[in-house]
Amino acid sequence: KGSLAEVKHVVLVLSGKGGVGKSTITTELALALIHAGKKVGILDVDLCGPSIPRMLRVGKPEVHQCDAGWVPVYADAQQQLALMSIGFLLEDSDEAVVWRGPKKTALIGQFVSDVAWGELDVLLVDTPPGTSDEHLAVVENLRKHRVDGAVLVTTPQAVSTGDVRREITFCKKTAVKILGIVENMSGFVCPHCSECSNIFSKGGGEELAKLTGSVFLGSVPLDPLLAASLEEGRDFLQAFPESSTYTAICDIANTLLSSLDDA
């Protein structure tokens, strides 16, 4: 069982489309879960765009090794949120990861087998867009462990839901259970009057869930306060509990947690 022996649940965060906010949803779900009293890990396998270290304001710490493997980096003083990312291993943060498939696959294999996660309630795996080498490497390397399933992230537009439909096909072909679909950027919350405007349309994620027989976990509106918090590495959920985006994220996290506990 190795490094994942004490991890209760493993959840992939997937999307066939880039720019839909997978890393944002992963980060905010992790924060919502630790606020619910859970111990959480994030495995960032978006090798070409590792943005979660910045979103959690952990910088570029030195990664240490222990007898059990690489020691994850903790994003909080209480050590409730653990993180491992290729962003920690690059000498220059502006350096492009120009790797062929086998090298990517090998690193993902190391990330899955050689990180000493210890005891976790949930490990969230943030993936790049698509259905290619990285996704196959993650799924194949996690086969020896129990993967609870995947959360799929989309935006409301048809061009996005069409790509995410391909991700649903990927999940079915690789026998990954779909835990639910999140519609991100579902409306824009005005910072002055709090009115929500549907600038990217609305309901595409919910409609996709109905068409594919998947659970619809909820809609997360765009909020300038969330964007600013991610840029500055602040905990949005702690800072802005009155936001409708806060409510949406916490509801999705609670629904996900219930489904994991019931599985």
Side-chain angles (χ1 to χ4, degrees):
K1 290 185 178 180
S3 62
L4 291 170
E6 296 179 276
V7 177
K8 293 179 184 175
H9 301 291
V10 178
V11 176
L12 309 180
V13 181
L14 302 172
S15 179
K17 186 79 175 168
V20 298
K22 286 183 304 302
S23 296
T24 296
I25 295 298
T26 301
T27 300
E28 297 308 317
L29 279 179
L31 291 170
L33 290 170
I34 66 167
H35 289 316
K38 303 300 179 183
K39 192 167 184 181
V40 183
I42 299 177
L43 176 56
D44 180 8
V45 295
D46 192 348
L47 302 185
C48 297
S51 53
I52 288 184
R54 175 172 177 169
M55 291 178 173
L56 290 172
R57 206 177 185 178
V58 294
K60 188 179 170 295
E62 189 175 334
V63 175
H64 299 282
Q65 285 195 313
C66 63
D67 292 341
W70 288 341
V71 179
V73 173
Y74 289 95
D76 62 326
Q78 296 76 30
Q79 297 195 346
Q80 292 296 107
L81 179 52
L83 173 62
M84 180 53 70
S85 169
I86 192 177
F88 301 147
L89 308 179
L90 299 175
E91 290 184 15
D92 181 358
S93 59
D94 293 330
E95 182 183 341
V97 179
V98 187
W99 292 358
R100 293 190 184 275
K103 192 169 182 180
K104 291 181 180 179
T105 300
L107 179 63
I108 289 170
Q110 276 191 289
F111 272 175
V112 171
S113 62
D114 295 347
V115 178
W117 292 108
E119 190 175 331
L120 293 180
D121 292 299
V122 183
L123 176 65
L124 299 170
V125 183
D126 183 36
T127 64
T131 56
S132 55
D133 285 348
E134 292 95 324
H135 306 80
L136 290 170
V138 168
V139 172
E140 287 169 3
N141 279 283
L142 287 170
R143 285 260 183 248
K144 60 197 87 159
H145 314 283
R146 189 167 75 87
V147 179
D148 291 77
V151 170
L152 274 59
V153 182
T154 186
T155 50
Q157 311 97 308
V159 69
S160 177
T161 58
D163 287 343
V164 177
R165 194 177 305 198
R166 298 185 190 98
E167 199 75 44
I168 292 171
T169 306
F170 170 83
C171 289
K172 289 179 179 176
K173 286 184 175 179
T174 54
V176 173
K177 181 181 178 182
I178 298 169
L179 298 171
I181 295 174
V182 173
E183 182 178 292
N184 194 27
M185 307 183 199
S186 182
F188 171 77
V189 178
C190 175
H192 305 294
C193 68
S194 298
E195 183 179 340
C196 189
S197 304
N198 298 321
I199 56 174
F200 291 140
S201 75
K202 187 174 175 65
E206 188 169 9
E207 187 63 27
L208 179 62
K210 288 177 183 175
L211 286 171
T212 58
S214 307
V215 174
F216 182 63
L217 292 172
S219 302
V220 179
L222 275 170
D223 189 328
L225 295 172
L226 173 57
S229 297
L230 291 167
E231 284 289 306
E232 297 163 10
R234 286 189 298 157
D235 185 340
F236 167 79
L237 299 178
Q238 194 172 53
F240 303 105
E242 72 285 352
S243 166
S244 58
T245 300
Y246 165 93
T247 304
I249 291 167
C250 290
D251 286 349
I252 290 168
N254 290 333
T255 303
L256 176 63
L257 204 51
S258 297
S259 70
L260 293 174
D261 290 340
D262 293 342

